[in-house]
Amino acid sequence: MQHLNRLGIVTGAISFGLLGSALAAGIEGAPSPFDKGGVQIALISYISAGDFFQSYQAGAQAQAKQLGIDLRVFPGRQNAAEQREQIQQAINLGVKGIVIDHGLPESIGDIVQQAIDAGIKVVAFDVNLNNPEIPQVEQSDHELARLALEQAVKDNGSSFQAGYAYVAGFAPLDRRNETWETFKSKNPDVVEKARFGIVSDTTATSTSDQAKAALAANPKITVVFAPYDEFARGVKLAARDLGIADRVKIYSADVSTADIQEITEDGSPWVATAATNPAVVGAVSIRAIALKVAGSVVPRQIVVKPALLTQTALREAGVKTIEDLASKLPSFSTSDAVTADWIPAKLY
Ligand code: SR1
């Protein structure tokens, strides 16, 4: 577990755009087909709105560039039928590998199997396709939720009324929910008074409307567990609109530069988040698919570990951006997951 205020390792920052431009022709000494370059890989997302997914995609693109990969990005629109259609398009294109970023397993399981049957390698990020041939990238969601909830107890004790933002069916949210359920059973004086949440192209504002109603109807709620940054933004907006930002504390998942600004601003009720650098997760996903395509053994489960970021620690450390975090926390600058000596693995 890493805490921002315990670490001080500094690495040089490089803009993503400067990386790997000379590698489109292939990497000397790399296994086939990466020795030639131009390997077509598809990144097919279910959600593209929001900071997390934009940063994930930027990290994936930066790593792809370093590997000379021709990355075809299919932006999700929270539309299961469209994601299915995009997987079909990738199969028709003859890509060598596909990264599936989120999605609903019941809508895509069979088409993903068709891709595998066509000899295409597949890696999944945060969608359980229940197939031993598909490595699963994830952020250690149980630990992530535990870090945020332990901070909630540290700040508020183990007796409080809570609001909870959750939508079932998304693998990371379902895993975080398992930790929430365990947490409640171990802390019987934590009472969940309201549950709400929407995942859509307007997650934050739609969740805000629901949070507003829930907080107004339950004035004794003092803690909200909102383990997705778009949920946390929505709850913060609701607390501000209701004029109760001084008596509600929000504990979340994820971080972005915009989130850091929202967390650290004066009077913010958003007091802690447990997070990875989504760009690093995107890079890890591309390395995993590259290794699969190269015929290397890839672990079934690939984990990028989260760190706890408290409002206090961010303010004290003067952190204003994700790049600041990457310069202070090793796990925000790179990951040692799925590397090989022929793969450049540093984003910053
Ligand atoms: C709707 S699922 C949202 C989550 O996916 C990623 O795992 C991010 O951490 C985000 O919280």
Side-chain angles (χ1 to χ4, degrees), residues 1-23:
M1 176 171 80
Q2 293 165 324
H3 292 267
L4 175 64
N5 54 7
R6 293 207 330 239
L7 294 162
I9 296 174
V10 178
T11 55
I14 304 172
S15 113
F16 286 171
L18 294 179
L19 294 168
S21 54
L23 294 172

Side-chain angles (χ1 to χ4, degrees), residues 13 41 95 125 128 133 216 264 282 315 317:
I41 301 284
V95 299
F125 167 48
N128 285 333
E133 289 186 58
T264 55
R315 283 178 180 161

